[in-house]
Each structure stands twice: as structure tokens, then as C-alpha cells.
Amino acid sequence: MSIRSTRALALRYRPSSPSPARRARCARCSATAAIRARERESGGHVPIIGLTAHAMKGDRERCLAAGMDGYVPKPINPAALFDALRKVAGDSAGEVPAAAAAPVATVAAGSPLQQALEFLEGDRALLAELAATFQRDCPGYLAALRQAVAGADPPALARAGHVIRGVLGTLGLEQAAAAAGQLEALAVQGGMDGAAALTAALEQGVGEFLVELRTLDGDPGGPALTPGSRP
Amino acid sequence: MTTAGDEWTNLGQPEAAASSAEQPPTPPRYVLVAGDAAVVRQLICRIVRQLGCEPVEAENGNHALAQARSHDLALIVLDLNMPDKDGLETLQELRADRRLASVSVLVLTIEASRKTIQSVLGYRVCDYLVKPLRPSELRERLRKHLGVTEPEGG
């Protein structure tokens, strides 16, 4: 199996005269569509799994509609990726490795929790303290965002985006903070286009962080968040 | 206890060194932490305690002004974006209040626009820090402004 960048694939398989609709789609989807179009002429089937960091509603459907065999949102959950790979590779790929099947035992590199820990300079006790407050306040922040989006209320959205951006930044959750920043910028300009998708992306990032926090909390045998510092 | 007037220029007070001694003869040095996000306040309060000072919190501008009037503050850490009364308005009122006009104010915000920075700097703040900052960076700035020479705790 080889690794290629989407850009390389998109360039290699670029259709000679892309339709406006195709151009509007993501490079990932147009590359997939182009590969499938060639395969219809030449035969064969290269398995394609879509990876996307946007995690917007409908991404999965768009990827599958473009001809992909599977879809895994980023940041990658190892178990989900192995599952997707096993499906496209058939049963010959064997069992999912234990490490991937049980990702709760480690802090995945590059995961939101890992990012937070790095940003807080490895201070697990501090992360545990801040995370507890974040877990308490987060539903309120997200509700304010959703309400502002649903009510098409740019000033409220700007304010909600600003507050959560500051909090996410303090926790070192850069990607989610960036999504909040985009929401805020959008709202400051008085616009709401794309706000729902950005909110979904932000919620996804936050959701992953919260899930990771829970798995670590409930795993006394693993690398607990607060070894020795828990009362 | 020093008066608010001494605080503005006198950053390296002898009290700071005395507060690290074992006996507690000196009253606590209060630091007001004003901002609407609890997670952010929590981080700052933790650092303030590590530096041997006592944090008091406020989650909006009016609360911040009330806290400032009822404590003898060594420093105010002020977020700009707050409900009810924002940081800039709070700063204006602080400076207009004879007793609070010279208290040290450190602005800690995610606002980085030139316009905001310029309007804030018109009110004699001792520092303008743009978030996010790593804990050690924040701690170092607070340590400097509180005149704490020997960081306490971890």
C-alpha cells in the first residue's frame, strides 16, 4: 500500500475539464471521482478511505458518494482507522491490534488531550484541575453557540465564539480554538454562512477532548491524568 | 499594608521577600483576577497562589470594580472581553477612581488589534499580554509584576 497526498492524486487524476460542481467539491472527492472514472474504463478498484479534519455534517456522505470505500474523521481514532482498513482489505488483514482496539490505555500522539498536556508543559495536575472546570462549563458554552447559530444572531455568536476561543486556547486545543476564532470573525462581519458547519467542527474537537478525559479518568491502571496528585 | 498609591511604581516591595518566610506577619497581597471564563481565572489564580499571593476573582466588570474597592490590591489581571462592563470600561472607571487610579493593571486578553491595544495603553497598564500563553510564560510575567524574587511551590 502506498501513501500519496491528496494534492498529488488530484493533480495526477485531474479531469481535463472539470465541471463547476466538481471544482467546488473538495480535492479529496474530485481525486476519488477521477480515479473511479478511470477505473470504469481500465477496470480494477483501488480502495480509498477518506480522512478529513473538517468533520462537517455530510462529509461522510460526500466522500462515499464520490466513490470512497470508507471514511475516518480526523484526529484519527486508531480503532476506527483499523476498522476501515480491515473492511477494505478483507478478512486477510487479521485482527485489530490490541493497541488500536483499546486506545484508552494511552494518550494518543497529537490527540486533543496530548495537545493540552503539551501546552500545559506536562503538568497533569494542572490539566486535571482545568479540565474539571471545563467539563462543568462546556455544555453552557456550546449551548450559547448553538443558540446564536439557530437564532441567526451575529453579536451573540461573536460573544460566544470569543469566550470559548479564550478557554480552548488556555487548554492548548488549537484546532478547536481556531474554529471558534473563525466563528467569531464571521459573526463580527455580520455573517452566518458556514456558522453551523464551523460549530459542528468545534463541537467535534471539544467532544473528542471530553471523551478522552473520561477514558483517562476511568482508567486507574493506565497513565492516569493525575498520578499521585489526586486527593 | 501599603496604600494603593504605592503599588504603581513600587513593584519590588520588601514585603514580597518577607511573605516567603515561614511566619505570617505580613497581610496577604491580593491579586484581582477579572475575566468571565472560569478556566482562565483558575489558571491565573493557581499561579498567583504559587507566587505567595492571594487571588480574588471577578467574572464581570462591575464585580471587578467592587472587588477592587474592597481589597488592597497588589495587581489586577484584567481580561478585556467581559459581560455587563467590558475590560476597557472597567479600566476607565478604575483610573477615574482616586483610590484606584494607580493600582497596577496587567491586561490579559485574546484581543490583539492595534486599535484595542492603543486604547488600553492610554490607561497606563503595566503589561498587555495576548493569550494563549503557556503557564510558565504567564507565571514569569506575574512574578515580575508582583516583584516576587523567589518563586514558591511548584
Side-chain angles (χ1 to χ4, degrees):
Chain A
M1 218 176 273
S2 65
I3 297 170
R4 301 265 167 81
S5 77
T6 304
R7 182 179 290 275
L9 284 172
L11 287 173
R12 185 170 158 199
Y13 291 98
R14 185 167 47 191
S16 49
S17 57
S19 68
R22 179 168 288 168
R23 234 182 283 134
R25 264 182 244 136
C26 63
R28 195 171 31 236
C29 292
S30 52
T32 304
I35 291 167
R36 295 296 180 238
R38 293 212 173 182
E39 285 172 350
R40 274 195 291 278
E41 291 164 17
S42 60
H45 181 90
V46 179
I48 300 174
I49 296 171
L51 300 176
T52 170
H54 303 305
M56 290 176 185
K57 203 175 174 190
D59 257 8
R60 181 191 183 85
E61 289 68 27
R62 268 192 291 279
C63 286
L64 297 181
M68 291 186 198
D69 303 274
Y71 165 87
V72 179
K74 286 196 272 186
I76 295 165
N77 173 338
L81 179 59
F82 270 100
D83 206 39
L85 285 170
R86 192 168 50 157
K87 273 181 193 152
V88 300
D91 286 335
S92 60
E95 287 304 302
V96 175
V104 296
T106 55
V107 179
S111 75
L113 189 65
Q114 184 63 40
Q115 277 180 29
L117 199 50
E118 273 169 24
F119 185 79
L120 298 176
E121 300 163 327
D123 190 336
R124 285 166 179 261
L126 174 60
L127 176 56
E129 266 182 46
L130 299 184
T133 305
F134 182 69
Q135 279 170 317
R136 183 197 69 194
D137 292 349
C138 189
Y141 293 143
L142 295 180
L145 272 182
R146 281 189 220 113
Q147 200 180 333
V149 171
D153 184 346
L157 182 60
R159 159 121 204 96
H162 188 93
V163 173
I164 198 166
R165 175 159 71 101
V167 171
L168 294 170
T170 297
L171 290 167
L173 303 176
E174 275 177 40
Q175 284 143 348
Q182 283 175 279
L183 268 173
E184 191 189 347
L186 190 70
V188 165
Q189 288 161 12
M192 296 295 288
D193 286 349
L198 281 168
T199 303
L202 189 155
E203 289 202 42
Q204 160 125 3
V206 168
E208 278 165 17
F209 179 63
L210 291 175
V211 166
E212 281 186 294
L213 284 176
R214 269 204 301 276
T215 55
L216 282 175
D217 275 350
D219 181 19
L225 203 51
T226 57
S229 62
R230 222 180 274 176
Chain B
M1 211 174 269
T2 56
T3 64
D6 295 334
E7 300 291 339
W8 175 247
T9 49
N10 192 6
L11 293 175
Q13 299 169 58
E15 263 183 37
S19 69
S20 63
E22 277 180 24
Q23 69 275 29
T26 51
R29 300 181 69 214
Y30 291 106
V31 174
L32 173 59
V33 180
D36 63 345
V39 170
V40 181
R41 287 201 310 272
Q42 193 175 11
L43 172 64
I44 303 166
C45 288
R46 190 179 196 263
I47 294 171
V48 165
R49 278 188 211 99
Q50 286 173 346
L51 294 172
C53 297
E54 182 69 26
V56 290
E57 296 183 55
E59 58 183 19
N60 60 51
N62 284 321
H63 192 199
L65 286 166
Q67 292 279 49
R69 288 179 180 126
S70 55
H71 292 85
D72 186 16
L73 297 172
L75 180 69
I76 297 176
V77 181
L78 184 68
D79 194 353
L80 290 183
N81 204 281
M82 293 190 292
D84 301 341
K85 184 169 287 176
D86 70 23
L88 190 58
E89 291 172 303
T90 305
L91 194 52
Q92 286 166 347
E93 285 201 34
L94 282 171
R95 293 305 181 226
D97 186 316
R98 194 175 260 261
R99 282 184 55 239
L100 300 171
S102 53
V103 63
S104 296
V105 176
L106 179 157
V107 169
L108 177 65
T109 177
I110 52 176
E111 293 282 346
S113 75
R114 183 162 305 202
K115 192 177 158 226
T116 306
I117 294 173
Q118 279 177 348
S119 36
V120 165
L121 292 183
Y123 291 94
R124 306 189 316 277
V125 296
C126 64
D127 216 336
Y128 189 107
L129 303 179
V130 178
K131 287 185 287 186
L133 286 173
R134 287 172 183 271
S136 62
E137 297 164 335
L138 194 50
R139 186 187 160 109
E140 181 51 29
R141 300 308 292 177
L142 288 172
R143 195 191 60 73
K144 173 178 173 279
H145 291 296
L146 287 166
V148 177
T149 47
E150 197 98 326
E152 295 171 24

